[in-house]
């Protein structure tokens, strides 16, 4: 399964491609040459689907008559080699930029240049080499390539993102602790199932992308680079699933992140779910394990049993405990501070000397991100958002005080302030780092 391919975890946005507004005949010729060269370089599933985005965007899936497979040289010559239409020379640079974006492979892009060079003069070939050096090696092009618009910048952002070390986070819990809601809060999208049942029967890997392109990628036996949040939640979740999408954040720093969602370990119906989770924790590499405690159900026998297993098999330094659903607490009946002290005491009896404990309202954090990114909320979600904004203004619910290095700043907007108060800001800082 090529779920970790460079194409699968990269972004591509071509709504404003330089070829959008040219005549259809020229667009068709351009796309046919692009299709031919990419097909010669890489026919992987993800690459072909990225290429298909160009067909949809440029040609609107209309029929076109060019077939470079029959006469590739003439098609390429018609596009870039005409001495009478010297302005078309720019299409060789544009094609190379598109090929670099589609394949995200330095060697393939250089190989692609050879298809053009055989139709160009020596000085023009030298210009192609200079362009590739700027695009691929130095990642800086001069203003003379203005006609490429944001294509080079997209390439740079993808490559720089792919060169970053990946932060791997495992999320585990008993059923109904809010595991899926936390994942939705961390990604800022409604992709993880949140039904109160054993809905996840296999590992699910959520991978970040470098920037928002409006597309969610999924791989479960085969790849699809454009699915909806509803489609992901409707899946059976009985086989390994890989999902790639841009993770929404209030922080400007974009990190390469992998969140591993595991089956609930206490399913009475599917006992093998716990075995899947434990095997994963024993065999895969990761940076942190996030264990979610339901603030309303602390200290059950099933909880203690799993925590004992974690303490025995997973380094305490890698473990982060999230006390979730604190938005359910009532000021007259509950005490957040006492609950956290109780959790710390229970963990100490299990051998955790200085556990990292993160109080949180994952649901409020999720609503905040959706509101910040101007998603349309349901009436109930709007009501809950307003209620939580009032609730977390109160001193009792200010969860930022439980996180080292997190404090209110007069420059914070309302979203950042509330994200700090609900605990999501502090948790993301612990998991992913940040300013």
């Amino acid at each position: 399964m090529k779920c970790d391919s460079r194409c699968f975890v990269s972004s591509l946005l071509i709504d404003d491609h330089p070829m959008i507004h040219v005549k259809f005949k020229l667009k068709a010729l351009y796309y046919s040459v692009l299709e031919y060269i990419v097909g010669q370089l890489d026919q992987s599933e993800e690459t072909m689907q990225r290429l298909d985005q160009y067909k949809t965007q440029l040609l609107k899936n209309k029929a076109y008559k060019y077939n470079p497979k029959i006469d590739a040289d003439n098609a390429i010559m018609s596009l870039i080699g005409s001495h009478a239409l010297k302005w078309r020379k720019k299409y060789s640079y544009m094609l190379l930029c598109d090929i670099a974006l589609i394949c995200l492979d330095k060697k393939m892009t250089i190989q692609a240049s050879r298809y053009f060079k055989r139709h160009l003069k020596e000085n023009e070939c030298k210009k192609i080499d200079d362009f590739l050096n700027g695009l691929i090696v130095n990642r800086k092009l001069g203003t003379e390539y203005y006609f490429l618009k944001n294509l080079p910048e997209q390439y740079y952002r993808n490559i720089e993102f792919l060169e970053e070390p990946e932060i791997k986070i495992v999320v585990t819990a008993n059923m109904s602790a809010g595991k899926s809601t936390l994942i939705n809060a961390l990604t800022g999208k409604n992709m993880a199932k949140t039904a109160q049942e054993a809905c996840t029967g296999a590992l699910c890997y959520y991978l970040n992308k470098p920037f928002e392109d409006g597309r969610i990628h999924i791989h479960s036996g085969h790849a699809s680079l454009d699915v909806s949040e509803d489609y992901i939640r409707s899946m059976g979740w009985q086989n390994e699933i890989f999902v790639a999408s841009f993770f929404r954040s209030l922080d400007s720093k974009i990190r390469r992140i992998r969140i591993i969602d595991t089956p609930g370990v206490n399913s009475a119906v599917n006992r093998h779910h716990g075995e899947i989770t434990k095997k994963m924790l024993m065999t895969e590499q990761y940076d942190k394990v996030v264990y979610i405690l339901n603030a309303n159900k602390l200290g059950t026998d099933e909880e203690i049993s799993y925590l004992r297993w974690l303490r025995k098999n997973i380094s305490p330094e890698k473990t982060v405990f999230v006390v979730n659903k604190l938005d359910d607490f009532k000021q007259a009946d509950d005490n957040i501070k006492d609950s956290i002290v109780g959790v710390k005491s229970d963990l100490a009896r299990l051998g955790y000397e200085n556990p990292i404990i993160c109080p949180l309202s994952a649901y409020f954090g999720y609503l905040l991100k959706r509101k910040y990114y101007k998603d349309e909320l349901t009436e109930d979600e709007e009501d809950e958002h307003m209620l939580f904004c009032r609730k977390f203004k109160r001193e009792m619910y200010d969860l930022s005080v439980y996180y080292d290095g997190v404090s209110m700043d007069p420059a914070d907007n309302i979203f950042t302030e509330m994200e700090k108060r609900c605990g999501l800001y502090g948790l993301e800082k612990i998991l992913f780092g940040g300013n």
Side-chain angles (χ1 to χ4, degrees):
M1 183 179 290
K2 302 178 95 175
C3 53
D4 288 335
S5 74
R6 296 164 75 85
C7 291
F8 187 74
V9 294
S10 61
S11 301
L12 178 62
L13 190 60
I14 54 174
D15 294 351
D16 190 34
H17 192 278
M19 293 296 294
I20 288 288
H21 301 295
V22 304
K23 292 182 179 179
F24 181 81
K25 183 177 180 181
L26 183 55
K27 278 193 287 194
L29 177 59
Y30 182 91
Y31 174 77
S32 66
V33 171
L34 179 65
E35 181 184 50
Y36 170 76
I37 296 175
V38 170
Q40 299 300 304
L41 300 171
D42 181 9
Q43 295 191 11
S44 66
E45 193 173 23
E46 291 90 344
T47 299
M48 289 295 100
Q49 289 194 39
R50 283 170 75 85
L51 178 63
D52 196 55
Q53 292 179 40
Y54 280 79
K55 184 176 184 179
T56 300
Q57 192 64 39
L58 296 181
L59 307 184
K60 308 301 180 185
N61 292 320
K62 294 180 182 178
Y64 60 99
K65 66 179 181 180
Y66 299 105
N67 187 356
K69 291 181 181 179
I70 297 175
D71 196 353
D73 283 343
N74 278 342
I76 296 172
M77 184 68 180
S78 296
L79 183 65
I80 69 165
S82 172
H83 295 296
L85 302 171
K86 292 185 178 180
W87 53 271
R88 286 193 180 184
K89 302 295 182 184
K90 66 181 181 182
Y91 291 138
S92 57
Y93 306 114
M94 199 178 295
L95 282 163
L96 286 173
C97 210
D98 281 328
I99 291 166
L101 256 177
I102 293 170
C103 300
L104 294 171
D105 184 280
K106 177 181 177 179
K107 290 182 179 179
M108 288 184 185
T109 307
I110 293 172
Q111 186 177 345
S113 70
R114 297 168 187 163
Y115 289 90
F116 308 132
K117 286 182 177 179
R118 60 193 182 203
H119 301 288
L120 300 174
K121 296 179 180 179
E122 184 177 348
N123 67 317
E124 294 169 335
C125 291
K126 174 63 167 57
K127 290 179 180 179
I128 290 288
D129 290 337
D130 291 342
F131 171 78
L132 287 175
N133 186 63
L135 180 70
I136 295 174
V137 180
N138 298 325
R139 297 179 195 169
K140 185 176 181 181
L141 293 173
T143 56
E144 67 268 29
Y145 300 106
Y146 67 92
F147 52 85
L148 297 175
K149 295 190 175 181
N150 70 350
L151 296 178
E153 179 62 25
Q154 286 193 56
Y155 174 74
Y156 303 150
R157 291 174 70 180
N158 273 300
I159 293 298
E160 288 166 5
F161 177 82
L162 292 167
E163 290 174 350
E164 287 288 319
E166 189 178 56
I167 302 170
K168 298 180 182 179
I169 307 295
V170 180
V171 181
T172 184
N174 284 328
M175 289 173 56
S176 302
K179 178 166 57 70
S180 296
T181 304
L182 173 60
I183 291 171
N184 286 339
L186 293 173
T187 63
K189 295 180 178 177
N190 188 15
M191 295 188 291
K193 284 189 176 184
T194 55
Q196 299 298 310
E197 58 186 22
C199 56
T200 305
L203 298 174
C204 183
Y205 299 81
Y206 295 92
L207 311 173
N208 198 9
K209 290 165 56 178
F211 57 88
E212 183 63 83
D213 60 0
R215 290 177 178 268
I216 300 174
H217 303 171
I218 189 167
H219 206 316
S220 183
H222 65 88
S224 179
L225 301 190
D226 190 13
V227 300
S228 67
E229 295 175 5
D230 289 342
Y231 175 83
I232 294 172
R233 294 196 309 278
S234 71
M235 295 184 66
W237 295 71
Q238 299 309 307
N239 299 308
E240 273 193 340
I241 299 172
F242 295 80
V243 179
S245 183
F246 176 69
F247 291 2
R248 292 167 164 178
S249 173
L250 272 63
D251 190 348
S252 59
K253 171 66 175 176
I254 306 303
R255 298 163 185 84
R256 192 175 178 195
I257 301 167
R258 174 185 300 236
I259 299 173
I260 307 171
D261 185 10
T262 60
V265 296
N266 64 329
S267 171
V269 178
N270 299 295
R271 292 294 181 184
H272 69 285
H273 285 187
E275 297 171 5
I276 292 171
T277 297
K278 290 177 180 179
K279 181 180 178 181
M280 178 268 146
L281 288 167
M282 295 293 289
T283 57
E284 291 204 27
Q285 298 294 317
Y286 45 83
D287 298 287
K288 296 286 185 185
V289 175
V290 176
Y291 183 84
I292 306 173
L293 297 153
N294 186 336
N296 299 304
K297 298 179 181 179
L298 297 177
T300 65
D301 291 341
E302 290 173 329
E303 196 98 74
I304 297 301
S305 175
Y306 186 39
L307 286 169
R308 285 199 179 106
W309 184 90
L310 284 173
R311 178 63 185 89
K312 180 179 178 181
N313 294 282
I314 308 300
S315 169
E317 286 74 24
K318 282 189 173 183
T319 309
V320 176
F321 296 97
V322 169
V323 182
N324 193 26
K325 299 190 178 182
L326 290 173
D327 47 85
D328 287 344
F329 273 33
K330 308 299 182 185
Q331 190 163 358
D333 304 322
D334 305 301
N335 188 299
I336 293 175
K337 185 176 181 180
D338 288 349
S339 294
I340 294 172
V341 170
V343 168
K344 188 173 183 178
S345 177
D346 290 341
L347 292 174
R349 285 193 290 272
L350 293 171
Y352 291 96
E353 295 182 5
N354 294 295
I356 300 173
I357 300 174
C358 300
L360 179 71
S361 168
Y363 183 55
F364 185 28
Y366 162 70
L367 290 179
L368 283 168
K369 284 190 179 179
R370 289 191 59 201
K371 191 75 173 176
Y372 179 79
Y373 281 88
K374 296 180 171 56
D375 282 354
E376 183 176 352
L377 304 184
T378 66
E379 287 188 17
D380 286 342
E381 289 172 335
E382 288 284 5
D383 290 344
E384 288 165 330
H385 174 262
M386 292 175 62
L387 170 65
F388 290 151
C389 281
R390 291 195 303 269
K391 193 171 188 175
F392 281 82
K393 277 283 190 179
R394 302 174 196 162
E395 184 178 355
M396 170 184 166
Y397 296 97
D398 183 6
L399 305 183
S400 69
V401 300
Y402 300 99
Y403 292 87
D404 292 337
V406 176
S407 59
M408 297 301 162
D409 188 320
D412 289 342
N413 60 39
I414 186 62
F415 295 100
T416 301
E417 178 189 347
M418 288 294 113
E419 196 174 63
K420 289 179 178 180
R421 287 178 175 273
C422 79
L424 185 59
Y425 183 97
L427 176 63
E428 289 186 339
K429 186 174 181 181
I430 288 171
L431 298 181
F432 310 138
N435 300 327

